[in-house]
PDB file of all heavy atoms in Angstrom:
ATOM      1  N   SER F 405     -61.165 -14.926  57.900  1.00 92.00           N
ATOM      2  CA  SER F 405     -61.127 -16.129  57.078  1.00 92.00           C
ATOM      3  C   SER F 405     -62.328 -16.072  56.132  1.00 92.00           C
ATOM      4  O   SER F 405     -63.456 -15.795  56.561  1.00 92.00           O
ATOM      5  CB  SER F 405     -61.223 -17.357  57.985  1.00 92.00           C
ATOM      6  OG  SER F 405     -62.141 -18.287  57.462  1.00 92.00           O
ATOM      7  N   PRO F 406     -62.129 -16.308  54.828  1.00 93.00           N
ATOM      8  CA  PRO F 406     -63.237 -16.246  53.869  1.00 93.00           C
ATOM      9  C   PRO F 406     -64.383 -17.188  54.258  1.00 93.00           C
ATOM     10  O   PRO F 406     -65.555 -16.821  54.119  1.00 93.00           O
ATOM     11  CB  PRO F 406     -62.596 -16.661  52.557  1.00 93.00           C
ATOM     12  CG  PRO F 406     -61.160 -16.302  52.708  1.00 93.00           C
ATOM     13  CD  PRO F 406     -60.836 -16.513  54.153  1.00 93.00           C
ATOM     14  N   ALA F 407     -64.050 -18.386  54.776  1.00 90.00           N
ATOM     15  CA  ALA F 407     -65.104 -19.345  55.137  1.00 90.00           C
ATOM     16  C   ALA F 407     -65.966 -18.788  56.271  1.00 90.00           C
ATOM     17  O   ALA F 407     -67.193 -18.829  56.219  1.00 90.00           O
ATOM     18  CB  ALA F 407     -64.490 -20.676  55.537  1.00 90.00           C
ATOM     19  N   ALA F 408     -65.287 -18.248  57.282  1.00 90.00           N
ATOM     20  CA  ALA F 408     -66.008 -17.715  58.436  1.00 90.00           C
ATOM     21  C   ALA F 408     -66.870 -16.519  58.023  1.00 90.00           C
ATOM     22  O   ALA F 408     -68.029 -16.400  58.428  1.00 90.00           O
ATOM     23  CB  ALA F 408     -65.015 -17.311  59.528  1.00 90.00           C
ATOM     24  N   LEU F 409     -66.303 -15.676  57.190  1.00 90.00           N
ATOM     25  CA  LEU F 409     -67.030 -14.487  56.758  1.00 90.00           C
ATOM     26  C   LEU F 409     -68.242 -14.883  55.903  1.00 90.00           C
ATOM     27  O   LEU F 409     -69.347 -14.339  56.066  1.00 90.00           O
ATOM     28  CB  LEU F 409     -66.089 -13.560  55.976  1.00 90.00           C
ATOM     29  CG  LEU F 409     -66.547 -12.123  55.763  1.00 90.00           C
ATOM     30  CD1 LEU F 409     -66.847 -11.425  57.079  1.00 90.00           C
ATOM     31  CD2 LEU F 409     -65.485 -11.333  54.989  1.00 90.00           C
ATOM     32  N   ALA F 410     -68.046 -15.853  55.004  1.00 87.00           N
ATOM     33  CA  ALA F 410     -69.149 -16.328  54.158  1.00 87.00           C
ATOM     34  C   ALA F 410     -70.257 -16.918  55.025  1.00 87.00           C
ATOM     35  O   ALA F 410     -71.445 -16.702  54.777  1.00 87.00           O
ATOM     36  CB  ALA F 410     -68.626 -17.372  53.170  1.00 87.00           C
ATOM     37  N   GLN F 411     -69.851 -17.637  56.061  1.00 85.00           N
ATOM     38  CA  GLN F 411     -70.805 -18.237  56.995  1.00 85.00           C
ATOM     39  C   GLN F 411     -71.631 -17.147  57.676  1.00 85.00           C
ATOM     40  O   GLN F 411     -72.856 -17.174  57.680  1.00 85.00           O
ATOM     41  CB  GLN F 411     -70.026 -19.030  58.042  1.00 85.00           C
ATOM     42  CG  GLN F 411     -70.859 -19.573  59.189  1.00 85.00           C
ATOM     43  CD  GLN F 411     -71.226 -21.022  58.921  1.00 85.00           C
ATOM     44  OE1 GLN F 411     -70.341 -21.845  58.706  1.00 85.00           O
ATOM     45  NE2 GLN F 411     -72.502 -21.318  58.921  1.00 85.00           N
ATOM     46  N   SER F 412     -70.905 -16.131  58.174  1.00 87.00           N
ATOM     47  CA  SER F 412     -71.607 -15.089  58.911  1.00 87.00           C
ATOM     48  C   SER F 412     -72.475 -14.245  57.971  1.00 87.00           C
ATOM     49  O   SER F 412     -73.459 -13.663  58.384  1.00 87.00           O
ATOM     50  CB  SER F 412     -70.615 -14.222  59.693  1.00 87.00           C
ATOM     51  OG  SER F 412     -69.934 -13.376  58.802  1.00 87.00           O
ATOM     52  N   MET F 413     -72.116 -14.205  56.696  1.00 87.00           N
ATOM     53  CA  MET F 413     -72.949 -13.468  55.736  1.00 87.00           C
ATOM     54  C   MET F 413     -74.033 -14.371  55.130  1.00 87.00           C
ATOM     55  O   MET F 413     -74.771 -13.943  54.243  1.00 87.00           O
ATOM     56  CB  MET F 413     -72.079 -12.894  54.612  1.00 87.00           C
ATOM     57  CG  MET F 413     -71.114 -11.805  55.059  1.00 87.00           C
ATOM     58  SD  MET F 413     -70.008 -11.323  53.711  1.00 87.00           S
ATOM     59  CE  MET F 413     -71.151 -10.418  52.672  1.00 87.00           C
ATOM     60  N   ASP F 414     -74.049 -15.622  55.567  1.00 82.00           N
ATOM     61  CA  ASP F 414     -75.033 -16.577  55.081  1.00 82.00           C
ATOM     62  C   ASP F 414     -74.921 -16.792  53.569  1.00 82.00           C
ATOM     63  O   ASP F 414     -75.916 -16.796  52.851  1.00 82.00           O
ATOM     64  CB  ASP F 414     -76.450 -16.099  55.452  1.00 82.00           C
ATOM     65  CG  ASP F 414     -77.434 -17.260  55.458  1.00 82.00           C
ATOM     66  OD1 ASP F 414     -76.970 -18.427  55.483  1.00 82.00           O
ATOM     67  OD2 ASP F 414     -78.647 -17.002  55.415  1.00 82.00           O
ATOM     68  N   LEU F 415     -73.682 -16.933  53.080  1.00 83.00           N
ATOM     69  CA  LEU F 415     -73.455 -17.088  51.642  1.00 83.00           C
ATOM     70  C   LEU F 415     -73.101 -18.511  51.245  1.00 83.00           C
ATOM     71  O   LEU F 415     -72.992 -18.822  50.063  1.00 83.00           O
ATOM     72  CB  LEU F 415     -72.312 -16.164  51.188  1.00 83.00           C
ATOM     73  CG  LEU F 415     -72.556 -14.660  51.301  1.00 83.00           C
ATOM     74  CD1 LEU F 415     -71.286 -13.904  50.966  1.00 83.00           C
ATOM     75  CD2 LEU F 415     -73.695 -14.243  50.376  1.00 83.00           C
ATOM     76  N   LEU F 416     -72.903 -19.360  52.250  1.00 84.00           N
ATOM     77  CA  LEU F 416     -72.453 -20.708  51.914  1.00 84.00           C
ATOM     78  C   LEU F 416     -73.571 -21.481  51.235  1.00 84.00           C
ATOM     79  O   LEU F 416     -74.730 -21.404  51.618  1.00 84.00           O
ATOM     80  CB  LEU F 416     -71.981 -21.432  53.174  1.00 84.00           C
ATOM     81  CG  LEU F 416     -70.666 -20.898  53.761  1.00 84.00           C
ATOM     82  CD1 LEU F 416     -70.264 -21.694  54.989  1.00 84.00           C
ATOM     83  CD2 LEU F 416     -69.552 -20.910  52.725  1.00 84.00           C
ATOM     84  N   GLN F 417     -73.208 -22.233  50.215  1.00 78.00           N
ATOM     85  CA  GLN F 417     -74.181 -23.042  49.482  1.00 78.00           C
ATOM     86  C   GLN F 417     -74.392 -24.355  50.227  1.00 78.00           C
ATOM     87  O   GLN F 417     -73.531 -24.803  50.969  1.00 78.00           O
ATOM     88  CB  GLN F 417     -73.659 -23.364  48.093  1.00 78.00           C
ATOM     89  CG  GLN F 417     -73.522 -22.155  47.217  1.00 78.00           C
ATOM     90  CD  GLN F 417     -73.113 -22.532  45.810  1.00 78.00           C
ATOM     91  OE1 GLN F 417     -73.578 -21.941  44.888  1.00 78.00           O
ATOM     92  NE2 GLN F 417     -72.265 -23.520  45.673  1.00 78.00           N
ATOM     93  N   THR F 418     -75.527 -24.936  49.962  1.00 76.00           N
ATOM     94  CA  THR F 418     -75.731 -26.215  50.610  1.00 76.00           C
ATOM     95  C   THR F 418     -76.150 -27.252  49.579  1.00 76.00           C
ATOM     96  O   THR F 418     -76.811 -26.935  48.585  1.00 76.00           O
ATOM     97  CB  THR F 418     -76.797 -26.103  51.719  1.00 76.00           C
ATOM     98  OG1 THR F 418     -77.014 -27.397  52.245  1.00 76.00           O
ATOM     99  CG2 THR F 418     -78.089 -25.520  51.186  1.00 76.00           C
ATOM    100  N   SER F 419     -75.759 -28.488  49.800  1.00 75.00           N
ATOM    101  CA  SER F 419     -76.230 -29.569  48.954  1.00 75.00           C
ATOM    102  C   SER F 419     -77.145 -30.471  49.793  1.00 75.00           C
ATOM    103  O   SER F 419     -77.398 -31.616  49.470  1.00 75.00           O
ATOM    104  CB  SER F 419     -75.040 -30.358  48.378  1.00 75.00           C
ATOM    105  OG  SER F 419     -74.109 -30.617  49.391  1.00 75.00           O
ATOM    106  N   ASP F 420     -77.644 -29.879  50.884  1.00 78.00           N
ATOM    107  CA  ASP F 420     -78.542 -30.592  51.794  1.00 78.00           C
ATOM    108  C   ASP F 420     -79.829 -30.960  51.049  1.00 78.00           C
ATOM    109  O   ASP F 420     -80.535 -30.096  50.535  1.00 78.00           O
ATOM    110  CB  ASP F 420     -78.846 -29.674  52.993  1.00 78.00           C
ATOM    111  CG  ASP F 420     -79.821 -30.314  53.936  1.00 78.00           C
ATOM    112  OD1 ASP F 420     -79.443 -31.329  54.555  1.00 78.00           O
ATOM    113  OD2 ASP F 420     -80.972 -29.816  54.034  1.00 78.00           O
ATOM    114  N   ALA F 421     -80.125 -32.258  50.990  1.00 81.00           N
ATOM    115  CA  ALA F 421     -81.211 -32.761  50.153  1.00 81.00           C
ATOM    116  C   ALA F 421     -82.571 -32.219  50.598  1.00 81.00           C
ATOM    117  O   ALA F 421     -83.375 -31.777  49.764  1.00 81.00           O
ATOM    118  CB  ALA F 421     -81.216 -34.282  50.157  1.00 81.00           C
ATOM    119  N   GLU F 422     -82.823 -32.210  51.888  1.00 83.00           N
ATOM    120  CA  GLU F 422     -84.116 -31.747  52.383  1.00 83.00           C
ATOM    121  C   GLU F 422     -84.384 -30.299  51.985  1.00 83.00           C
ATOM    122  O   GLU F 422     -85.465 -29.948  51.516  1.00 83.00           O
ATOM    123  CB  GLU F 422     -84.168 -31.861  53.909  1.00 83.00           C
ATOM    124  CG  GLU F 422     -84.813 -33.158  54.373  1.00 83.00           C
ATOM    125  CD  GLU F 422     -84.808 -33.261  55.884  1.00 83.00           C
ATOM    126  OE1 GLU F 422     -85.329 -32.311  56.528  1.00 83.00           O
ATOM    127  OE2 GLU F 422     -84.249 -34.243  56.400  1.00 83.00           O
ATOM    128  N   PHE F 423     -83.366 -29.484  52.171  1.00 83.00           N
ATOM    129  CA  PHE F 423     -83.448 -28.057  51.828  1.00 83.00           C
ATOM    130  C   PHE F 423     -83.780 -27.883  50.350  1.00 83.00           C
ATOM    131  O   PHE F 423     -84.692 -27.126  49.990  1.00 83.00           O
ATOM    132  CB  PHE F 423     -82.111 -27.386  52.190  1.00 83.00           C
ATOM    133  CG  PHE F 423     -81.971 -25.965  51.702  1.00 83.00           C
ATOM    134  CD1 PHE F 423     -82.696 -24.940  52.308  1.00 83.00           C
ATOM    135  CD2 PHE F 423     -81.106 -25.644  50.650  1.00 83.00           C
ATOM    136  CE1 PHE F 423     -82.554 -23.627  51.865  1.00 83.00           C
ATOM    137  CE2 PHE F 423     -80.968 -24.339  50.211  1.00 83.00           C
ATOM    138  CZ  PHE F 423     -81.689 -23.342  50.821  1.00 83.00           C
ATOM    139  N   ILE F 424     -83.100 -28.650  49.512  1.00 85.00           N
ATOM    140  CA  ILE F 424     -83.287 -28.490  48.068  1.00 85.00           C
ATOM    141  C   ILE F 424     -84.641 -29.045  47.620  1.00 85.00           C
ATOM    142  O   ILE F 424     -85.343 -28.415  46.811  1.00 85.00           O
ATOM    143  CB  ILE F 424     -82.115 -29.134  47.295  1.00 85.00           C
ATOM    144  CG1 ILE F 424     -80.824 -28.334  47.591  1.00 85.00           C
ATOM    145  CG2 ILE F 424     -82.379 -29.163  45.785  1.00 85.00           C
ATOM    146  CD1 ILE F 424     -79.574 -28.930  47.032  1.00 85.00           C
ATOM    147  N   ILE F 425     -85.030 -30.200  48.168  1.00 87.00           N
ATOM    148  CA  ILE F 425     -86.326 -30.776  47.787  1.00 87.00           C
ATOM    149  C   ILE F 425     -87.475 -29.829  48.160  1.00 87.00           C
ATOM    150  O   ILE F 425     -88.414 -29.616  47.368  1.00 87.00           O
ATOM    151  CB  ILE F 425     -86.527 -32.165  48.443  1.00 87.00           C
ATOM    152  CG1 ILE F 425     -85.665 -33.169  47.676  1.00 87.00           C
ATOM    153  CG2 ILE F 425     -88.009 -32.585  48.431  1.00 87.00           C
ATOM    154  CD1 ILE F 425     -85.704 -34.571  48.204  1.00 87.00           C
ATOM    155  N   ALA F 426     -87.336 -29.202  49.328  1.00 87.00           N
ATOM    156  CA  ALA F 426     -88.346 -28.244  49.760  1.00 87.00           C
ATOM    157  C   ALA F 426     -88.463 -27.113  48.747  1.00 87.00           C
ATOM    158  O   ALA F 426     -89.564 -26.680  48.386  1.00 87.00           O
ATOM    159  CB  ALA F 426     -87.994 -27.706  51.145  1.00 87.00           C
ATOM    160  N   LEU F 427     -87.316 -26.666  48.245  1.00 87.00           N
ATOM    161  CA  LEU F 427     -87.309 -25.587  47.257  1.00 87.00           C
ATOM    162  C   LEU F 427     -87.968 -26.039  45.956  1.00 87.00           C
ATOM    163  O   LEU F 427     -88.758 -25.309  45.350  1.00 87.00           O
ATOM    164  CB  LEU F 427     -85.874 -25.130  46.967  1.00 87.00           C
ATOM    165  CG  LEU F 427     -85.157 -24.347  48.072  1.00 87.00           C
ATOM    166  CD1 LEU F 427     -83.702 -24.126  47.681  1.00 87.00           C
ATOM    167  CD2 LEU F 427     -85.848 -23.000  48.305  1.00 87.00           C
ATOM    168  N   ILE F 428     -87.636 -27.258  45.534  1.00 90.00           N
ATOM    169  CA  ILE F 428     -88.216 -27.778  44.282  1.00 90.00           C
ATOM    170  C   ILE F 428     -89.736 -27.844  44.393  1.00 90.00           C
ATOM    171  O   ILE F 428     -90.447 -27.365  43.480  1.00 90.00           O
ATOM    172  CB  ILE F 428     -87.630 -29.166  43.951  1.00 90.00           C
ATOM    173  CG1 ILE F 428     -86.123 -29.046  43.627  1.00 90.00           C
ATOM    174  CG2 ILE F 428     -88.371 -29.805  42.764  1.00 90.00           C
ATOM    175  CD1 ILE F 428     -85.401 -30.362  43.456  1.00 90.00           C
ATOM    176  N   ASP F 429     -90.192 -28.390  45.491  1.00 90.00           N
ATOM    177  CA  ASP F 429     -91.641 -28.486  45.688  1.00 90.00           C
ATOM    178  C   ASP F 429     -92.300 -27.110  45.638  1.00 90.00           C
ATOM    179  O   ASP F 429     -93.364 -26.928  45.036  1.00 90.00           O
ATOM    180  CB  ASP F 429     -91.943 -29.162  47.037  1.00 90.00           C
ATOM    181  CG  ASP F 429     -91.592 -30.646  46.990  1.00 90.00           C
ATOM    182  OD1 ASP F 429     -91.461 -31.180  45.850  1.00 90.00           O
ATOM    183  OD2 ASP F 429     -91.397 -31.255  48.064  1.00 90.00           O
TER     184      ASP F 429
END
Side-chain angles (χ1 to χ4, degrees):
Chain F
S405 135
L409 196 57
Q411 173 97 56
S412 74
M413 293 174 72
D414 202 16
L415 295 174
L416 290 181
Q417 294 185 142
T418 176
S419 46
D420 177 67
E422 265 178 55
F423 171 72
I424 293 174
I425 284 178
L427 289 173
I428 294 173
D429 289 342

